[in-house]
């Protein structure tokens, strides 16, 4: 396993740990969507490695860890990462504010999809606080981006590692 893959896996594991970490009752609704933020960053940085398959698997792991309907987070993750994968070149040159706006819309779509599925199975939330992870994730995107970019630079993770060696 090369160094680049280890860094990606390590940061995703940290994101999963933050996603399932116990919080006080008042803070549970404000928990950012860490796994999606980390996968968005890696899908922008190394799109040849992070795609819809990784998003699907991460979403299924989130479904298992949260105890939600299987595929609920997975399909939301796939939609978000698919869009990021298609638009990664445009998003990489955008400012952090413009990236945050796009990420807000994508995370809102993901939350609306989760709300729709929860409503279909009779577990719809009764509070507008359901959408707070979208807001907190958007506010934390610049710091997430900067931290992961510094980690990527420190360990020299780049797209060059993933280009096939041809003769």
């Amino acid at each position: 396993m090369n160094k680049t893959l280890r860094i990606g896996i390590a940061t995703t594991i940290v994101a999963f740990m933050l996603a399932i970490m116990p919080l006080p009752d008042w803070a549970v609704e404000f928990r950012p969507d860490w796994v999606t933020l980390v996968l968005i960053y890696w899908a922008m940085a190394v799109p040849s490695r992070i795609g819809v398959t990784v998003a699907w698997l991460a979403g299924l792991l989130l479904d298992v860890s949260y105890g939600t309907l299987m595929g609920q987070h997975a399909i939301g993750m796939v939609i978000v990462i698919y869009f990021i994968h298609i638009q990664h070149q445009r998003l990489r040159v955008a400012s952090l504010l413009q990236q945050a706006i796009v990420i807000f819309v994508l995370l809102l779509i993901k939350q609306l999809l989760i709300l729709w599925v929860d409503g279909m199975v009779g577990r719809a939330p009764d509070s507008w606080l359901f959408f707070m992870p979208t807001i907190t994730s958007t506010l934390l995107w610049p710091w997430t981006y900067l931290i992961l970019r510094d980690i990527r630079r420190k360990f020299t993770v780049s797209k060059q590692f993933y280009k096939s060696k041809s003769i």
Side-chain angles (χ1 to χ4, degrees):
M1 186 181 322
N2 66 18
K3 175 176 62 169
T4 305
L5 189 56
R6 285 185 295 204
I7 299 301
I9 290 172
T11 55
T12 306
I13 289 172
V14 169
F16 270 104
M17 290 170 43
L18 289 170
I20 62 173
M21 180 178 65
L23 292 176
D25 290 337
W26 62 268
V28 171
E29 287 89 10
F30 298 95
R31 180 190 312 266
D33 194 351
W34 292 111
V35 177
T36 306
L37 287 177
V38 168
L39 287 181
I40 286 171
Y41 176 80
W42 288 116
M44 282 177 22
V46 280
S48 60
R49 281 304 228 191
I50 302 297
V52 293
T53 305
V54 173
W56 179 258
L57 293 173
L60 286 177
L61 285 173
L62 277 179
D63 289 329
V64 169
S65 63
Y66 290 156
T68 58
L69 189 65
M70 285 301 272
Q72 178 175 338
H73 285 90
I75 192 68
M77 249 344 177
V78 165
I79 291 169
V80 169
I81 298 303
Y82 179 74
F83 181 83
I84 295 294
H85 190 68
I86 289 174
Q87 300 294 328
H88 76 275
Q89 290 177 336
R90 290 182 183 160
L91 288 171
R92 287 174 62 152
V93 296
S95 70
L96 283 177
L97 178 62
Q98 292 168 330
Q99 288 177 4
I101 292 168
V102 170
I103 288 170
F104 174 78
V105 171
L106 291 172
L107 292 176
L108 185 62
I109 291 170
K110 181 183 174 202
Q111 284 294 102
L112 286 170
L113 183 68
I114 291 170
L115 177 66
W116 178 57
V117 172
D118 280 345
M120 288 178 62
V121 296
R123 294 187 335 210
D126 57 351
S127 172
W128 63 272
L129 291 175
F130 178 79
F131 294 103
M132 285 309 294
T134 301
I135 296 168
T136 55
S137 297
T138 303
L139 292 174
L140 288 173
W141 170 249
W143 289 278
T144 305
Y145 176 87
L146 294 173
I147 290 169
L148 289 174
R149 185 189 65 183
D150 289 345
I151 289 171
R152 184 173 60 96
R153 287 180 178 173
K154 180 178 180 183
F155 293 104
T156 61
V157 176
S158 68
K159 288 197 297 189
Q160 295 171 353
F161 285 99
Y162 299 116
K163 291 185 179 175
S164 62
K165 296 179 183 179
S166 55
I167 300 173

